[in-house]
Amino acid sequence: APVSSTIFRYFRYYELKNRSDACAIHTDIGLFTLIPVSNNPSLEIQDPVTEEWINFESTLQSGDMMVLIGEVT
C-alpha cells in the first residue's frame, strides 16, 4: 500500500436508511477532529458518567463546527 505523507485523514458519513447501517461505537484517533454541522444531525457522544447517548450535533447552528481535541473516549 502507498505511504501517505500527510497527517490528515478525511471521512464523510452519508445519510443512513436505517440505524443498523451506522458506524460502530468508536473513539477518534489523532490530535484533533473537525465536525462541521450537517443537514441531518445524528452524531452522538456517550456521557462517560451516565452512559447516556447525547445528540450534541443538534445543538449546532448553520456554519458552526465542533472541534474535538485529543483522543475522544
Side-chain angles (χ1 to χ4, degrees):
V3 176
S4 174
S5 61
T6 181
I7 61 172
F8 297 105
R9 297 185 315 157
Y10 174 81
F11 297 96
R12 181 173 179 167
Y13 298 97
Y14 296 92
E15 185 174 354
L16 302 173
K17 299 208 183 325
N18 60 58
R19 190 171 178 92
S20 66
D21 293 333
C23 69
I25 297 170
H26 66 279
T27 59
D28 292 345
I29 60 172
L31 178 60
F32 63 91
T33 301
L34 301 175
I35 304 172
V37 67
S38 71
N39 294 332
N40 183 20
S42 56
L43 185 60
E44 297 177 321
I45 59 171
Q46 188 178 34
D47 184 304
V49 176
T50 65
E51 297 185 354
E52 174 185 6
W53 286 98
I54 303 163
N55 183 335
F56 74 90
E57 190 180 5
S58 65
T59 65
L60 301 177
Q61 299 177 4
S62 179
D64 286 353
M65 183 172 294
M66 178 70 67
V67 179
L68 306 175
I69 305 297
E71 183 174 357
V72 179
T73 58

